[in-house]
Amino acid sequence: MTADLLTGDFFGYEALLPDDERKDLLALREFLDEKVRPRVNDAWAAAEFPMDLIPEFASIDVVGRAYEWEGRPPASKLYNGFQALELSRVDPSIATFLGVHNGLAMGSIMILGSEEQRQRWIPAMMSMDEIGAFALTEPEGGSDVARGLRTTARRDGDSWVLDGAKRWIGNGTFADHVVVFARDEADDQVKTFVVDKGTPGFTASKIEDKFALRTVQNADLVFTDCRIPADHKLEGGNTFTDVNKVLKVTRGGVAWSGVGCQMGAYEYALAYAKERVQFGKPIGSFQLIQDLLAKMLGNVTASLGMVVRVAQLQEADELRDDQAALAKSYVTARGRETVAMARELFGGNGIVLENNVVRYFNDAEALYSYEGTREMNTLIVGRSVTGLSAFV
């Protein structure tokens, strides 16, 4: 296909996609520019999710492309990565909403569920008639949840009973199905459950006053003697090793979102540099501005090259945990630098929402922290290269 590449794709990585997948990507790009981009600043300012866009997303076949389903083969890992990039390039909040539903929640059921469980939940989630959430992080536990998970589960006849709390759960205020991780009191192993909205003993409350990913509806979840049917435990979710099967896949998706976030900021900064006039000429003609733009583009290009290689390794089923960890930590760290330089280029105008870049500036902080902090991912890499663990 001969359509122009993205301004921020300096080495033309998108051209690696086959024509049919690039056609789908261009359709998504057009949809995002026409339907989503005009809405994102208002939604971000109001900290409200544009629920009316959910059917629109369902109509453009953006969900479930990573999975084989009903005879349709999965799209390539490269396409799924570029899809996350496109979403985050326009709005990291929308990318996070879909990443939670499409990747973490559906991914948990697809990877850890039985065939019967997949047939029970996936069709309505695929059509977006029902939305998913993923509940791992706790009020007193983030990086240490592998060993310190406090939410408990106990088997009681033909039910499981959950007690505990979760925090920062994206989509949590309105999700129809929440994938919940709890420590089994019987064997001290982390099990995976699906809790439906409205289940007695389960409450969700919105976390207010966030200043990153404001459109995402993050929630505090509380489980008090919350009784769910025994068949709501995912068949393959029996240890934290099983949880890591999901996180290994989704961590790469967050890295792609990190590229999209910095690319979106770079593209707004480049356009501004060409149109903003100071001292009688566009600021883009000044050496210091060009230096900022070149540094930003270098970060974007290096990050994109890394995640493209991640996708290739995923396609070959050769991606290691340490490689996923390095990609996530590196890309989101470069993302912080890139969005800060974009804000700097705008000067005082960079802190005004109507100029967009401050949204990426704030949202990059959340991408930097979730799906494993930079510090924890760095220690995963450090353990891999030295053979020595620095974990507490």
Side-chain angles (χ1 to χ4, degrees):
M1 297 182 70
T2 58
D4 290 340
L5 297 166
L6 291 172
T7 303
D9 184 6
F10 199 60
F11 283 11
Y13 283 110
E14 183 187 313
L16 296 174
L17 289 168
D19 283 352
D20 59 335
E21 290 188 344
R22 188 153 183 238
K23 181 179 179 181
D24 289 346
L25 191 70
L26 294 174
L28 173 61
R29 186 176 302 162
E30 182 179 3
F31 167 81
L32 292 171
D33 283 338
E34 292 182 358
K35 300 283 189 176
V36 179
R37 194 183 294 275
R39 306 278 302 278
V40 295
N41 282 350
D42 288 343
W44 197 92
E48 295 178 354
F49 189 84
M51 301 294 290
D52 60 295
L53 284 179
I54 292 178
E56 299 269 10
F57 278 110
S59 71
I60 62 166
D61 196 26
V62 75
V63 176
R65 297 297 302 272
Y67 316 116
E68 181 177 357
W69 187 251
E70 295 184 344
R72 184 186 70 177
S76 70
K77 304 298 184 184
L78 187 62
Y79 172 82
N80 281 289
F82 266 106
Q83 177 176 287
L85 182 153
E86 288 287 350
L87 291 162
S88 192
R89 173 178 158 265
V90 172
D91 184 19
S93 287
I94 292 293
T96 300
F97 156 73
L98 280 165
V100 170
H101 171 73
N102 195 17
L104 289 166
M106 286 179 58
S108 295
I109 296 170
M110 292 294 291
I111 294 170
L112 304 180
S114 66
E115 179 59 27
E116 186 278 327
Q117 288 171 325
R118 288 192 287 269
Q119 291 294 335
R120 190 193 320 169
W121 285 306
I122 291 298
M125 296 176 76
M126 193 77 75
S127 65
M128 301 191 81
D129 291 321
E130 295 175 354
I131 300 299
F134 179 94
L136 177 59
T137 303
E138 299 185 340
E140 303 300 326
S143 298
D144 66 346
V145 292
R147 296 181 180 178
L149 205 68
R150 299 188 182 187
T151 300
T152 62
R154 60 181 173 85
R155 184 67 184 261
D156 183 18
D158 59 357
S159 301
W160 285 90
V161 180
L162 305 184
D163 285 283
K166 300 291 183 178
R167 184 163 173 81
W168 296 115
I169 308 309
N171 306 349
T173 61
F174 60 87
D176 298 283
H177 308 294
V178 183
V179 176
V180 180
F181 301 91
R183 189 171 297 280
D184 186 351
E185 292 180 352
D187 62 8
D188 205 38
Q189 294 295 316
V190 175
K191 303 295 200 306
T192 308
F193 304 89
V194 176
V195 179
D196 297 333
K197 180 171 63 177
T199 300
F202 165 46
T203 61
S205 57
K206 180 181 176 181
I207 297 175
E208 302 286 357
D209 299 326
K210 288 189 303 151
F211 283 87
L213 299 177
R214 285 173 54 80
T215 305
V216 178
Q217 302 300 289
N218 291 95
D220 282 310
L221 308 184
V222 176
F223 305 91
T224 305
D225 198 29
C226 177
R227 186 175 295 269
I228 61 174
D231 64 2
H232 278 50
K233 188 194 84 67
L234 294 184
E235 186 175 282
N238 298 304
T239 68
F240 200 83
T241 299
D242 299 322
V243 182
N244 270 328
K245 294 175 184 177
V246 180
L247 296 178
K248 178 181 176 181
V249 174
T250 58
R251 194 166 285 137
V254 175
W256 278 95
S257 291
V259 179
C261 179
Q262 53 182 309
M263 187 182 289
Y266 165 76
E267 290 176 349
Y268 276 118
L270 177 60
Y272 185 79
K274 293 178 179 180
E275 67 185 31
R276 172 69 168 172
V277 174
Q278 292 283 276
F279 303 104
K281 61 179 68 175
I283 64 172
S285 67
F286 300 148
Q287 290 181 1
L288 291 178
I289 297 297
Q290 291 192 4
D291 181 61
L292 280 177
L293 290 168
K295 288 177 179 176
M296 293 166 65
L297 184 58
N299 279 350
V300 172
T301 303
S303 298
L304 182 52
M306 182 175 281
V307 296
V308 166
R309 182 56 181 156
V310 165
Q312 292 171 339
L313 290 168
Q314 287 177 317
E315 200 72 67
D317 196 25
E318 295 176 355
L319 180 68
R320 304 192 310 264
D321 289 342
D322 56 341
Q323 292 170 325
L326 180 60
K328 195 277 175 179
S329 62
Y330 179 85
V331 168
T332 56
R334 298 293 76 72
R336 285 177 109 196
E337 295 175 355
T338 302
V339 298
M341 287 187 280
R343 210 291 309 156
E344 179 182 343
L345 186 148
F346 272 81
N349 287 335
I351 66 171
V352 181
L353 184 57
E354 70 176 276
N355 290 317
N356 296 287
V357 72
V358 72
R359 178 166 48 83
Y360 295 97
F361 182 86
N362 284 33
D363 289 352
E365 290 300 301
L367 271 63
Y368 181 73
S369 295
Y370 72 45
E371 285 278 353
T373 62
R374 184 201 66 81
E375 292 80 5
M376 291 305 299
N377 279 307
T378 296
L379 294 181
I380 291 171
V381 176
R383 181 179 60 188
S384 171
V385 299
T386 67
L388 303 170
S389 177
F391 288 89
V392 175

